[in-house]
Amino acid sequence: MGFVSDFKAFLMKGEIVNLATAVIVGGAFGKIVTSFTNDVLMPPIGLLLGKVDFKNLKVVLQDGIPPVIENGAEKVPAVAEVALNYGAFIQTIFDFVIIGFCIFMVLKAYEKTKKKEEAVPVTPVGPTQEELLIQIRDLLKK
């Protein structure tokens, strides 16, 4: 049972829970950025570049072949087109740059808060340890 309890303890550590939360939030954030890139950012860029839809940018290596149908039966199956979809790749690069920029901004803000926390001097509240010991000594003398 040592292995199971060790594994349970590993899973319940704060870092693992935080990591799982970050992965879930990151996945959702990735979808938001993908939608922003595909639906908001790329259409105006495509319009500026001459009404180009980046999703359709590709280099066709081999044309597709439609199926051959005789008497309602498919004699020769269809062959899919072989293409390099570089437009989708360009959109993915935009996604990556936007996500990287957002992470950079979050880390910069986090670093600023850490620097502010370090800059604030900690003032002791109440008597120091030495003062408490002196008070205890004086009470014991009485």
Side-chain angles (χ1 to χ4, degrees):
M1 285 305 263
F3 177 77
V4 174
S5 62
D6 288 346
F7 185 65
K8 181 179 176 184
F10 169 74
L11 289 178
M12 289 299 142
K13 283 184 180 177
E15 295 85 20
I16 299 298
V17 174
N18 290 343
L19 178 62
T21 303
V23 167
I24 292 168
V25 170
F29 182 69
K31 289 180 182 179
I32 291 170
V33 170
T34 299
S35 176
F36 174 74
T37 304
N38 294 343
D39 303 329
V40 176
L41 189 64
M42 296 309 277
I45 291 173
L47 186 64
L48 290 173
L49 295 176
K51 298 184 181 181
V52 175
D53 183 8
F54 279 86
K55 294 174 192 168
N56 295 330
L57 293 178
K58 60 186 172 184
V59 174
V60 177
L61 301 176
Q62 178 182 344
D63 288 327
I65 302 171
V68 176
I69 300 175
E70 286 184 10
N71 298 330
E74 187 177 49
K75 296 280 266 180
V76 179
V79 177
E81 172 182 80
V82 179
L84 298 175
N85 298 317
Y86 68 91
F89 181 69
I90 291 172
Q91 284 188 328
T92 304
I93 290 173
F94 271 103
D95 286 351
F96 176 77
V97 170
I98 291 170
I99 290 173
F101 179 73
C102 291
I103 291 172
F104 173 75
M105 295 304 291
V106 167
L107 289 177
K108 289 298 264 183
Y110 177 75
E111 288 174 4
K112 282 185 180 181
T113 61
K114 282 297 185 188
K115 286 179 183 176
K116 286 181 182 178
E117 288 176 5
E118 292 171 1
V120 175
V122 178
T123 55
V125 177
T128 65
Q129 184 177 4
E130 291 174 354
E131 293 171 343
L132 288 174
L133 289 172
I134 291 171
Q135 288 176 4
I136 292 171
R137 183 196 65 198
D138 293 343
L139 287 173
L140 287 173
K141 281 184 181 179
K142 289 182 182 177

